[in-house]
């Protein structure tokens, strides 16, 4: 469906995207992650044809975005971080306008009304966009991306600025759309990515630093693969039950935090997933399992380890080179490399050094 090969983008002397390659199959929901300035929005803008590339190629369903942009763009629905809405139009007028711009061949009225039902904006169909809430505006933005029934949806921060209820609604909508579309989803809400996406691509400083399922990233990067469980019963009887579960390497009892229950840490043998076996064994013995939690790294922890580690290594390498190139500093608040200018922290650090 999507083939990105040796993609690079340069702004003057700044290399924003450096030799990036990846492919996405039809029907995948892929999370696109990276700190601010990592290059992920640049890559998405190149994929949609909004920006030109410096080197490499991007192919959408076999059509090169540079050589055959019209055919490639027909297969893309794009929601930028700030939806491109004309707020003095009604929802209906705006969607009709987008339909005409895209030169869609489907019957206009039923096609747009169906999209409005899918994204649940049919109840505000005749209202001015400027009078809609942020959540409804995001839905209208998704609706315009769906016009023409594109195979690929690229959604850049679709839940930014929404309240928790609106975030949940948009997340559920994306999950439903994923049944019929290939989706690339960029978000800073990592729990959202973990809930919706089957695969994660992490970009840092213009490079891909990770590309796998959240589960595999967690297993491969975590030092702790244990489970924490809480069960109704006494220490002795639960220990006796758990000792018969195959695949458990070690059982550690923890102090109880709830009356009538016991807590344990279960360390599995290498390559063993003991969750189902533990749950089934306790159920067979009529014991109530109140909680079972993996102690492997969350996607948030994975993201921080990968991006901070990569940034630090690159900064060390650059610092070792004695050249006339711009200074490279590290912004402690944003976690980003800053070239050619001082951050607040580095200014304070330099002042302290000068005072010594």
């Amino acid at each position: 469906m999507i083939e990105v090969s040796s993609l690079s983008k340069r702004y003057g002397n700044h290399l924003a995207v450096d030799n990036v390659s990846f492919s996405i199959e039809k029907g995948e929901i892929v999370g696109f992650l990276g700190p601010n300035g990592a290059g992920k929005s640049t890559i998405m803008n190149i994929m949609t044809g909004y920006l030109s590339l410096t080197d490499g190629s991007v192919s959408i369903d076999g059509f090169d975005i540079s050589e055959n942009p019209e055919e490639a763009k027909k297969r893309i629905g794009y929601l930028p971080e700030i939806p491109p809405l004309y707020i003095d139009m009604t929802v209906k007028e705006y969607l009709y306008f987008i339909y005409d711009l895209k030169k869609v061949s489907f019957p206009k009225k039923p096609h747009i009304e169906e999209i409005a039902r899918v994204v649940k904006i049919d109840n505000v169909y005749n209202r001015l966009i400027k009078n809609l809430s942020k959540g409804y505006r995001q839905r209208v933005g998704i609706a315009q991306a769906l016009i023409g029934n594109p195979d690929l949806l690229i959604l850049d921060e679709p839940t930014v600025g929404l309240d928790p209820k609106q975030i949940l609604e948009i997340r559920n909508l994306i999950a439903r759309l994923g049944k019929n579309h290939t989706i690339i989803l960029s978000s800073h809400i990592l729990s959202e990515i973990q809930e919706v996406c089957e695969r994660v691509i992490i970009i840092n400083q213009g490079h891909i630093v990770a590309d796998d399922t959240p589960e595999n990233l967690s297993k491969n990067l975590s030092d702790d693969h244990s489970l924490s469980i809480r069960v109704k019963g006494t220490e002795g009887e639960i220990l006796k039950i758990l000792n018969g579960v195959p695949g458990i390497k070690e059982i550690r009892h923890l102090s109880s935090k709830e009356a009538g229950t016991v807590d344990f840490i279960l360390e599995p043998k290498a390559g063993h997933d003991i969750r189902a076996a533990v749950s089934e064994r306790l159920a067979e013995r009529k014991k109530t399992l109140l909680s079972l939690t993996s102690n492997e790294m969350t996607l948030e922890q994975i993201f921080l380890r990968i991006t901070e580690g990569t940034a630090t290594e690159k900064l060390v390498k650059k610092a070792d080179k004695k050249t006339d190139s711009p200074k490279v500093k590290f912004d402690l608040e944003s976690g980003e490399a800053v070239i050619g200018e001082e951050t607040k922290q580095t200014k304070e650090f330099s002042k302290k050094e000068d005072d010594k």
Side-chain angles (χ1 to χ4, degrees):
M1 177 66 195
I2 304 168
E3 193 70 39
V4 175
S5 179
S6 303
L7 178 65
S8 295
K9 176 64 178 179
R10 185 180 294 278
Y11 297 99
N13 293 325
H14 175 56
L15 190 59
V17 179
D18 187 5
N19 198 33
V20 165
S21 297
F22 62 88
S23 60
I24 297 174
E25 299 299 324
K26 189 172 179 128
E28 280 193 283
I29 305 178
V30 178
F32 220 52
L33 301 178
N36 291 332
K40 62 185 187 301
S41 291
T42 298
I43 293 171
M44 286 189 290
N45 283 328
I46 291 172
M47 290 172 65
T48 62
Y50 182 73
L51 284 178
S52 62
L53 50 83
T54 303
D55 290 301
S57 65
V58 174
S59 174
I60 309 295
D61 204 18
F63 294 97
D64 190 287
I65 193 69
S66 298
E67 296 177 0
N68 204 336
E70 189 170 337
E71 285 299 323
K73 289 177 184 179
K74 284 180 182 178
R75 290 153 174 81
I76 300 171
Y78 180 40
L79 174 67
E81 183 175 347
I82 300 174
L85 305 178
Y86 291 97
I87 61 173
D88 290 323
M89 288 182 173
T90 66
V91 172
K92 178 182 177 180
E93 289 169 343
Y94 173 71
L95 295 181
Y96 272 44
F97 172 66
I98 297 297
Y99 174 98
D100 292 337
L101 278 182
K102 290 187 175 184
K103 301 177 182 178
V104 178
S105 59
F106 300 118
K108 181 185 286 188
K109 188 172 184 290
H111 178 58
I112 292 178
E113 287 179 352
E114 175 62 22
I115 290 172
R117 282 193 295 272
V118 168
V119 301
K120 296 185 178 178
I121 55 172
D122 46 329
N123 59 325
V124 296
Y125 199 49
N126 293 304
R127 290 181 58 184
L128 289 173
I129 293 173
K130 67 182 177 183
N131 295 330
L132 299 181
S133 68
K134 174 75 172 173
Y136 271 113
R137 291 190 189 195
Q138 288 295 97
R139 288 176 180 271
V140 174
I142 294 174
Q144 64 80 26
L146 286 169
I147 290 176
N149 195 28
D151 295 324
L152 170 64
L153 293 177
I154 300 178
L155 309 177
D156 191 0
E157 300 289 349
T159 60
V160 67
L162 302 186
D163 64 37
K165 182 175 183 293
Q166 293 169 332
I167 288 173
L168 184 59
E169 290 172 348
I170 297 296
R171 181 191 299 169
N172 291 337
L173 172 60
I174 292 168
R176 291 198 305 273
L177 293 174
K179 296 176 182 178
N180 300 306
H181 301 270
T182 303
I183 296 178
I184 296 176
L185 172 63
S186 172
S187 177
H188 284 103
I189 305 174
L190 300 189
S191 59
E192 177 179 291
I193 295 290
Q194 195 152 16
E195 286 289 329
V196 175
C197 298
E198 306 150 355
R199 175 180 160 202
V200 174
I201 297 175
I202 301 179
I203 308 290
N204 195 39
Q205 295 190 0
H207 297 269
I208 292 179
V209 291
D211 182 355
D212 210 332
T213 65
E215 294 77 15
N216 285 344
L217 287 173
S218 181
K219 287 177 183 176
N220 294 334
L221 292 173
S222 291
D223 299 318
D224 187 356
H225 300 282
S226 64
L227 298 178
S228 296
I229 67 168
R230 178 170 295 173
V231 190
K232 278 189 176 182
T234 64
E235 179 184 352
E237 62 182 346
I238 303 303
L239 266 175
K240 187 176 179 180
I241 293 169
L242 293 176
N243 279 327
V245 177
I248 294 182
K249 178 182 177 181
E250 182 184 352
I251 302 173
R252 300 194 298 277
H253 176 243
L254 303 176
S255 57
S256 179
K257 296 182 179 179
E258 188 177 338
T261 69
V262 284
D263 291 12
F264 294 95
I265 297 287
L266 309 181
E267 185 71 38
K269 294 177 182 176
H272 285 73
D273 185 345
I274 60 174
R275 293 173 297 177
V278 168
S279 178
E280 290 167 5
R281 180 60 62 90
L282 290 168
E284 288 170 1
R285 301 298 191 273
K286 309 295 184 187
K287 294 300 177 184
T288 304
L289 180 63
L290 297 175
S291 69
L292 186 153
T293 307
S294 172
N295 293 320
E296 290 181 342
M297 294 173 67
T298 64
L299 185 57
E300 185 176 73
Q301 292 168 325
I302 291 167
F303 176 81
L304 291 173
R305 174 179 286 191
I306 289 175
T307 55
E308 289 181 357
T310 305
T312 303
E313 289 169 9
K314 290 189 176 182
L315 287 171
V316 169
K317 288 178 183 177
K318 288 181 180 180
D320 287 339
K321 294 179 181 178
K322 301 196 180 290
T323 66
D324 294 328
S325 59
K327 291 182 180 179
V328 180
K329 301 183 184 296
F330 196 66
D331 190 311
L332 301 178
E333 291 180 346
S334 67
E336 295 181 56
V338 180
I339 301 176
E341 64 183 63
E342 291 189 323
T343 65
K344 176 183 176 183
Q345 292 87 359
T346 55
K347 285 179 181 176
E348 291 174 353
F349 178 80
S350 299
K351 185 177 184 302
K352 289 178 182 176
E353 290 296 303
D354 291 339
D355 292 340
K356 284 183 180 179

